[in-house]
Amino acid sequence: MNPRPAIERLAGVMVPLFSLRTRSDAGIGDIAALDAMTGLASSMGDRAILLLPIDETSPGEASPYSALSVFAIDPIYIGLDGLAGVIPGDVERVRRELAHVPLSDRLTIRAARLELLEAAFRHFTARSDERAAVTDFALRHRGWLHDYALFRALKDRFDLAPWEDWPDELRRRETAALDRAKAELAPAIDKYMYWQFLAHRQWTEVHAHARARGVMLGGDLAFSPAHDSAEVWANQELFDFNRTVGAPPDAFNPEGQKWGLPSPRWDRIRADGFALLRKRIRHARELYDFIRIDHVVGLYRTFSFGLVQGAKGGFSPAAEPDQRALGEAVLGAILEEAGATIVVAEDLGVIPPFVRASLSALGVPGYKVMRWEKINDGTPAEAFVSPADYPEISLATTGTHDTDTLAEWWDTAPAAERARMLALLVPAPAATRNAKVGFEQMRDAMLAALYASPSRMVMIPMQDLFGWRERINLPGTVGPANWSWRLPHAIEDIGHDPASSARVAQLRAMAIQAGR
């Protein structure tokens, strides 16, 4: 295996693409808004932006971790301005229509935005100006694009029914049935290919602008394709449909979590040389400068449940030596395909010690969430670990998309928990410290400690940089608040409002002082 690329000492911001907001907003953060975000990140002294998955989800699905394809960019993220064949007045109409529609109403937002993309496709079919470019795009992405476009066209034909409910010959992917479908659904297939062409072209332009500003883009690689996805339909032999992937009992859910993902058949995936996973990494390295591997422990030992009501979960493989061997084989394939692209691992939750030892040996940074890093946990001597003691090969942070925000945590933390944090951060007598230190002082002391830490990467959720309280997701629950948080202000206003501008300058000074 080639040596891992050196990781520069940098500060970054974690924010979902859907959360971005601009003055030209149309219901959801899109690729054009990401261009504005890279400018704001640079102003804050951040040299990286970590996004959640941007994969296409079904119309009403909110979670970016349950996608129709792990390759396709969701067309809802295509910027609307400047699309050939789309009347500017129609774009303004859609903006007005969506001005007060909450992100939780994705069905309305998607329908309004896709109406304009339909107009763009009609223009494309009537004129051939871009046909050569689209043909070239389809050729370069033939490893996933054709299966995806056919899958989406078939989903439309069968009113979004899961592929397992399609006619048997299509469910089994019989060659003659697929050929008939390709001929009958050619216009719809062309449409989905064209939309991916638009999305990837816009992404390439924004990525180039980010690099010119010295800002890296990071993407989150979801653990597995969803059950009802193009990739599972096209690779059925690699998955066990009698088991669903999840998580064992932990602090988030004492009953464990069932994610609805089909369990990977690791023996077959390994025998296939990890071909599908390698393809995902090659695709991701075109989009991103660094990749976050979600739920990395699942690559070592996948926890899954049987489908029978009340069935208990279990790990595969079951034995630790086999788990380590599997995880290192999987990560070996990932790192080999990643090349110069930085790979970081989300190693939070119930993680056996050998996993973190393995990641360290592979040179893959794991997470250090400051409020979770403790010594003597649960004893009278409990204390937070100083960020000064974090390893260089790590990603330090205040939280993730699955945690409460720093402000929420501070609001609800027991007095003893607050006191322990202040004892670490504020060099003052306890009585004075505990009486006078407010949230903002604690927050900035925490950020300063993380920025000064040895960790090569510090990646802070956008809410925690500004002290906002709304969280992104509450694990183990389903509701309109999940995956629906958006910036409270347009990005342009954050840069021009006096108070926000002062905060941006303060964050920049903090990053510079820490050598990031």
Side-chain angles (χ1 to χ4, degrees):
M1 187 184 303
N2 294 328
R4 299 305 306 135
I7 303 175
E8 294 184 31
R9 183 175 170 80
L10 58 81
V13 56
M14 189 281 289
V15 61
L17 183 57
F18 59 71
S19 296
L20 302 183
R21 188 189 298 272
T22 65
R23 290 176 181 170
S24 58
D25 201 71
I28 191 171
D30 59 21
I31 298 172
L34 180 58
D35 198 26
M37 184 63 211
T38 62
L40 176 60
S42 180
S43 299
M44 294 190 297
D46 289 322
R47 295 194 289 135
I49 298 172
L50 175 58
L51 303 163
L52 299 188
I54 57 171
D55 308 328
E56 181 178 4
T57 61
S58 58
E61 177 60 62
S63 171
Y65 294 92
S66 183
L68 293 173
S69 170
V70 292
F71 291 96
I73 296 175
D74 198 323
I76 202 172
Y77 292 134
I78 295 174
L80 302 178
D81 288 317
L83 293 176
V86 177
I87 300 170
D90 287 341
V91 176
E92 291 305 316
R93 172 182 55 79
V94 167
R95 286 193 175 115
R96 290 192 300 272
E97 291 173 355
L98 299 179
H100 301 291
V101 175
L103 184 53
S104 57
D105 187 2
R106 277 178 167 80
L107 285 172
T108 297
I109 295 169
R110 185 177 295 274
R113 294 182 68 103
L114 294 195
E115 175 192 345
L116 301 182
L117 297 186
E118 293 278 4
F121 176 66
R122 289 194 296 271
H123 177 82
F124 168 73
T125 57
R127 299 168 59 97
S128 58
D129 299 12
E130 295 177 312
R131 194 161 300 280
V134 174
T135 299
D136 178 67
F137 171 79
L139 182 64
R140 288 187 288 110
H141 294 270
R142 61 187 178 278
W144 64 271
L145 183 61
H146 294 275
D147 274 328
Y148 156 76
L150 175 58
F151 176 82
R152 287 299 287 112
L154 285 167
K155 289 284 286 183
D156 287 348
R157 167 177 275 190
F158 297 117
D159 297 322
L160 299 178
W163 62 264
E164 287 183 304
D165 294 342
W166 296 352
D168 287 348
E169 64 272 16
L170 290 171
R171 177 175 54 81
R172 294 193 300 262
R173 293 178 57 84
E174 295 177 4
T175 301
L178 295 182
D179 288 344
R180 284 195 303 273
K182 290 173 186 176
E184 294 168 0
L185 301 175
I189 291 170
D190 287 347
K191 178 183 73 175
Y192 284 108
M193 286 188 174
Y194 180 63
W195 286 357
Q196 286 304 304
F197 164 77
L198 291 178
H200 283 77
R201 183 176 64 182
Q202 288 186 2
W203 189 272
T204 299
E205 292 172 355
V206 168
H207 196 183
H209 293 168
R211 285 176 169 168
R213 291 169 170 146
V215 176
M216 299 194 305
L217 298 183
D220 199 353
L221 199 74
F223 174 72
S224 171
H227 195 132
D228 189 26
S229 68
E231 289 76 42
V232 170
W233 175 60
N235 299 275
Q236 298 171 41
E237 70 282 0
L238 301 181
F239 300 92
D240 182 353
F241 301 119
N242 294 314
R243 301 192 67 81
T244 178
V245 173
D250 60 17
F252 287 130
N253 194 322
E255 301 298 322
Q257 298 176 42
K258 295 181 180 180
W259 298 340
L261 303 174
S263 187
R265 293 183 180 271
W266 286 117
D267 55 339
R268 297 182 181 182
I269 293 171
R270 193 169 188 173
D272 191 39
F274 304 105
L276 178 59
L277 181 60
R278 288 177 180 274
K279 190 188 302 182
R280 291 182 67 188
I281 299 301
R282 288 195 297 271
H283 183 67
R285 76 186 186 201
E286 291 185 14
L287 301 177
Y288 305 113
D289 304 296
F290 64 102
I291 305 168
R292 175 188 185 271
I293 305 299
D294 186 54
H295 189 55
V296 75
V297 69
L299 304 182
Y300 289 82
R301 55 180 203 177
T302 304
F303 194 84
S304 65
F305 297 86
L307 301 185
V308 178
Q309 183 69 26
K312 293 184 177 180
F315 289 108
S316 176
E320 182 176 313
D322 295 333
Q323 292 170 357
R324 181 157 188 164
L326 173 63
E328 292 185 351
V330 177
L331 280 169
I334 289 173
L335 297 175
E336 187 173 291
E337 294 297 341
T341 303
I342 296 167
V343 175
V344 301
E346 183 274 294
D347 58 345
L348 304 174
V350 180
I351 308 295
F354 79 84
V355 170
R356 292 202 170 102
S358 174
L359 293 173
S360 179
L362 293 170
V364 176
Y367 266 62
K368 295 293 180 184
V369 178
M370 187 173 174
R371 45 188 155 133
W372 291 351
E373 293 294 319
K374 299 178 181 180
I375 56 173
N376 303 317
D377 198 6
T379 74
E382 180 178 322
F384 288 99
V385 175
S386 171
D389 295 327
Y390 294 173
E392 283 192 27
I393 303 302
S394 65
L395 184 155
T397 185
T398 55
T400 75
H401 62 271
D402 279 334
T403 63
D404 51 357
T405 60
L406 196 57
E408 284 182 309
W409 170 74
W410 188 250
D411 284 346
T412 59
E417 185 90 343
R418 289 190 181 196
R420 283 190 288 268
M421 181 60 75
L422 293 177
L424 174 66
L425 296 175
V426 182
T432 303
R433 182 176 60 225
N434 296 343
K436 295 186 177 180
V437 175
F439 166 70
E440 291 186 357
Q441 184 179 350
M442 183 285 305
R443 174 200 64 194
D444 287 352
M446 181 184 284
L447 292 177
L450 289 170
Y451 278 30
S453 74
S455 299
R456 288 290 175 178
M457 304 181 80
V458 174
M459 207 68 56
I460 307 296
M462 185 78 166
Q463 299 100 309
D464 293 351
L465 291 175
F466 288 86
W468 300 327
R469 282 172 163 71
E470 293 79 10
R471 68 187 297 160
I472 295 170
N473 178 52
L474 181 61
T477 69
V478 176
N482 285 347
W483 314 111
S484 297
W485 176 75
R486 302 196 67 201
L487 301 187
H489 315 291
I491 293 171
E492 302 92 331
D493 295 335
I494 292 173
H496 292 91
D497 172 73
S500 298
S501 182
R503 180 61 181 164
V504 167
Q506 187 180 13
L507 291 168
R508 181 178 182 84
M510 193 181 298
I512 292 173
Q513 183 177 359
R516 295 191 182 274

